[in-house]
Each structure stands twice: as C-alpha cells, then as structure tokens.
Amino acid sequence: GAGVSQSPSNKVTEKGKDVELRCDPISGHTALYWYRQRLGQGLEFLIYFQGNSAPDKSGLPSDRFSAERTGESVSTLTIQRTQQEDSAVYLCASSLEGTSNQPQHFGDGTRLSIL
Amino acid sequence: AQSVTQLDSHVSVSEGTPVLLRCNYSSSYSPSLFWYVQHPNKGLQLLLKYTSAATLVKGINGFEAEFKKSETSFHLTKPSAHMSDAAEYFCVVSVGSWGKLQFGAGTQVVVTP
C-alpha cells in the first residue's frame, strides 16, 4: 500500500521567504509527527498530531514554525521568514495510533535549503 | 528521562562478515525500543521493535536485536553483511505515553567488498 508521502522532495528558497511543506500520512493512521534532521545529526521532534486532539507543539524551535492538520488527513508545516539555520531535511511520520509501542512510518522527507 | 546512546558513530565491515551496532538505553520503566535504517536521501525504515514480549527480536533483512535489561542494552546484529546494508542506523526509544521518539545520534555503516 501507499506509504507516507511528502512534497516537495526538494525546496530551495531565499532567506526571509515563507515555505510550506506537505505530508500525506498512511490512510487510517491517526497519529502524525514532524521531525527535523540537520546534516549529520539525528532527528529532532517538532510537533505531534493525534486525531482531533490539540497538537503537542513542544518541539517547535520558534514562533516562525507552525503546522496544521485537518482531522486525520494531510498536514502542512509552515516556516515563516526562513533563516539559514532552517536548512535541513524535514521528515514526516505517521502511526496507526499515538502509543509508545506503535512504530512510526516515515516519508522520504523534504530537503530544504535556504540561500 | 529516557534516552539512548549509540556507542559507535562509524562502523566499517567487510562484506560477508558480522555486523554489530551497539546501543545502550536509559529508562525508568520497561521501554519500547526500535532500530531504524536510513539510506541516502531516503526516509527512515523500521528494522525491528521491542515492546516487552520476546527479548530477542528478529527484524527485516536478516537483522536481529537482543534486549538485555541487566546491561540496559539493545544491540543490533546481522551475521553476514551485504553491500546494501551500507546506511545510517538509529537506535530509538519511545518516551511518554503517545509515542514521542528519542533518537540516538546514529551509526554510519560502511561495507567494503
């Protein structure tokens, strides 16, 4: 079946511009996660959505970062007034439900480069 | 607080020889542990998971890992490395009730002919 789909796969933009990244989770997965992976580093948690509950935004690094998800479908991560330190791969994952023993399934990520 | 430490940042093995990737965890209760693999320019793929059932966990592509509570370890092994195993491997612990993941720093595996 279809996995987690992310778009675009690559994005190059100028410093100060806004960018929007999209994630389509696996159908039926109620939990959705966003992560950031800087070059040569592990993954950094950004935000978590579970169904219609209020999201856990505790990982968002600044108020320039925001994310939305409608129900159990598509999510968008928006970065406003991009800075060079925002350059990274942004990975989205989904799981059947948001519990500790459910594995997360990852998309291939969006590689964001800020000039 | 739960965390994982991957003891090797790089591992180099010859094709056909065993692979050992070491991971220690810290957890105040029985953790859920995972190993993921990341090939270049790809997302993470789940290799295997431990969720308090059998302590020896078999995963995909011939990998397995053993949960040792006494040593707080969850090392990943494969008896015979293949060239396609060259990738980065992450040991991961699930923290909190909703599945928030804490990632190790990763181990880069190089396989030589």
Side-chain angles (χ1 to χ4, degrees), chain A residues 33 35 37 41-43 45 48 56 58 91 98-104 106-108 111, chain B residues 32 34 36 38 41-44 46 49 51 90 94 96-101 103-105:
Chain A
Y33 311 79
Y35 295 89
Q37 185 177 29
Q41 298 184 22
L43 274 69
F45 164 76
Y48 158 67
D56 182 328
S58 60
L91 289 161
T99 59
S100 61
N101 61 359
Q102 283 289 333
Q104 294 177 25
F106 286 81
D108 286 345
R111 185 174 301 274
Chain B
S32 292
F34 307 85
Y36 282 85
Q38 186 177 33
N41 300 314
K42 290 290 187 180
L44 279 74
L46 179 69
K49 67 174 184 177
T51 55
F90 292 97
S94 181
S97 60
W98 55 256
K100 181 177 179 179
L101 299 182
F103 285 79

Side-chain angles (χ1 to χ4, degrees), chain B residues 68-113:
Chain B
K68 290 187 176 180
K69 187 174 181 179
S70 60
E71 299 176 9
T72 62
S73 68
F74 189 57
H75 301 336
L76 181 71
T77 61
K78 182 173 180 177
S80 177
H82 191 272
M83 296 299 291
S84 62
D85 295 327
E88 186 144 25
Y89 292 77
F90 292 97
C91 181
V92 185
V93 64
S94 181
V95 304
S97 60
W98 55 256
K100 181 177 179 179
L101 299 182
Q102 183 72 44
F103 285 79
T107 298
Q108 186 71 45
V109 172
V110 174
V111 183
T112 56

Side-chain angles (χ1 to χ4, degrees), chain A residues 54-112:
Chain A
D56 182 328
K57 304 179 182 179
S58 60
L60 294 178
S62 78
D63 59 7
R64 296 186 295 105
F65 288 72
S66 62
E68 292 184 351
R69 186 186 189 197
T70 305
E72 297 178 359
S73 61
V74 171
S75 175
T76 55
L77 175 69
T78 301
I79 309 173
Q80 296 178 307
R81 305 181 303 281
T82 52
Q83 303 294 314
Q84 287 189 331
E85 64 261 27
D86 299 334
S87 296
V89 176
Y90 290 82
L91 289 161
C92 176
S94 70
S95 66
L96 193 59
E97 55 186 16
T99 59
S100 61
N101 61 359
Q102 283 289 333
Q104 294 177 25
H105 300 267
F106 286 81
D108 286 345
T110 294
R111 185 174 301 274
L112 177 64

